[in-house]
Every structure is written in C-alpha cells, then in structure tokens.
Amino acid sequence: GPKVLQIPSHQIIDMGQMVTLNCDPVSNHLYFYWYKQILGQQMEFLVNFYNGKVMEKSKLFKDQFSVERPDGSYFTLKIQPTALEDSAVYFCASSLDSGYEQYFGPGTRLTVL
Amino acid sequence: GDKVKQSPSALSLQEGTNSALRCNFSIAATTVQWFLQNPRGSLINLFYLVPGTKENGRLKSAFDSKESYSTLHIRDAQLEDSGTYFCAAENTNTGKLTFGDGTVLTVKP
C-alpha cells in the first residue's frame, strides 16, 4: 500500500533542546497528521494540516509544538523546547482528503533525557 | 479512551480458532479504520469502513453507524496475527481519528 516515511527512526535529546521530526507523506495526499503514542498505549491525535494551515489541534499540542510543510518538502513537527513528558513515539499520517483512509509512517521514537 | 471503547483488552487464541473484536463509539463516527500494530510498532492498515461490511482473506469487519459499533472477525487465527489491534473513528470534517485503547491478541500454537 501507500508508504509514509519518517526520519529519524530514533532521536535522543536533552531536555530543553529543540527537535524536528520529519515526515514524507504519500505523494498525492493533501491532509497530514501527527499522533503521539506513549509506551505502546493509546494513540492520541495531536494535529492535522491542510493547505499550509493547522485545521485542528488537541490539548496535547502544546505551545512549544509547531508544524509546517515548506514548499512541498517534508511535513515537520518541531518541539522547542522539549520536556521529559514529550518522550513518546510520534506517528505521521497522510490521507488523500479529509475523511479518507489514513496511512501511517513507522514512527519516530523520541527520548528526552 | 472513553469515546472509543474496545473489547476485550486482551485475548489469547489457539492457532486455527476464530474470534471477534469490538469497538463501541460514544461519538458519531462517520468512518472507521482498523489497524494491527506489529511487535516492531508499525501500524498496518486492515480496513477502512463507511457503514457496511468488508472482507479480506481471514478478516472481516463491519461498521454500524446507527448502533455506533464496529467489529473485526478473525477466522482461522495464525501466529502472525499476534499484535495489538486498534480501531479508530473519524467524526469531524478535519479527518481527526480517535483511537480505542487496543486489543492485545496472542495466538498460541
């Protein structure tokens, strides 16, 4: 099926540093998402993004979080500064349009020390 | 989560047997997706459903929007079916998926 890629697969950083997680969505998809999963538990929606704008964000999407997709390149999630509770696996997803099937990347495991 | 309730939370099956997983929604779901998260952590798409049923090999899924539930039936369970099964419902026009807590399935020889 369609592939979503995520770079890096693992990232270890010190608390307070900035981190950028990169997602390469399916080529013709227009909607992009970030989800957060802690310790293999429930997957939580963070944010979705369409036409250069955030469409909806959850309470987990703190002020320190931002997303962008400059000029059709990677769809990125930036956390600045990071906190210990940001340690989790972050999954990127994309869909052709709102309400269409979402395809997920393999996740980036972020560890904040 | 409270909005999407999955049952059972864990299940152990003998190879070759059948079972069913269920999701109940307290939100007005318009579409449902089922995923298998394998031991490596990757999410595998199993089904994308509007109200109705779909079948793929040994798997069959149904989504009833009026009664607010979805089911995933596994026939002739195999060892490679082991993992965590998630259902997720979409109920906004922005595509946001709300996930259940997952069912941990273990298939034993």
Side-chain angles (χ1 to χ4, degrees), chain B residues 57-109:
Chain B
R58 295 180 294 102
L59 302 180
K60 183 176 179 179
S61 186
F63 170 35
D64 186 329
S65 58
K66 290 181 182 175
E67 299 298 323
S68 300
Y69 75 91
S70 178
T71 55
L72 176 68
H73 292 261
I74 304 172
R75 176 174 55 82
D76 185 24
Q78 302 296 304
L79 298 176
E80 60 265 28
D81 295 334
S82 295
T84 303
Y85 289 77
F86 288 100
C87 67
E90 192 255 339
N91 76 321
T92 72
N93 58 8
T94 63
K96 166 189 168 183
L97 284 178
T98 301
F99 281 76
D101 287 340
T103 294
V104 179
L105 176 65
T106 305
V107 180
K108 297 180 178 179

Side-chain angles (χ1 to χ4, degrees), chain A residues 37 42 48 56 98-99 102, chain B residues 33 37 45 48 93-95 99:
Chain A
Q37 187 180 39
Q42 189 175 6
N48 57 11
E56 185 176 357
S98 170
Q102 291 183 30
Chain B
Q33 286 192 242
Q37 188 165 36
N45 285 40
Y48 165 77
N93 58 8
T94 63
F99 281 76

Side-chain angles (χ1 to χ4, degrees), chain A residues 32-86:
Chain A
F32 314 117
Y33 313 83
W34 285 103
Y35 293 84
K36 178 181 180 181
Q37 187 180 39
I38 297 178
L39 293 177
Q41 301 302 312
Q42 189 175 6
M43 192 80 69
E44 303 269 17
F45 169 82
L46 284 176
V47 66
N48 57 11
F49 190 83
Y50 168 72
N51 198 26
K53 300 174 191 171
V54 169
M55 302 300 291
E56 185 176 357
K57 58 184 180 181
S58 73
K59 290 181 291 187
L60 296 178
F61 194 78
K62 304 180 295 184
D63 291 343
Q64 299 89 327
F65 288 34
S66 63
V67 290
E68 64 175 354
R69 193 188 188 205
D71 300 323
S73 61
Y74 287 142
F75 173 52
T76 62
L77 173 65
K78 183 187 293 186
I79 310 174
Q80 181 178 26
T82 51
L84 295 177
E85 61 265 26
D86 297 331

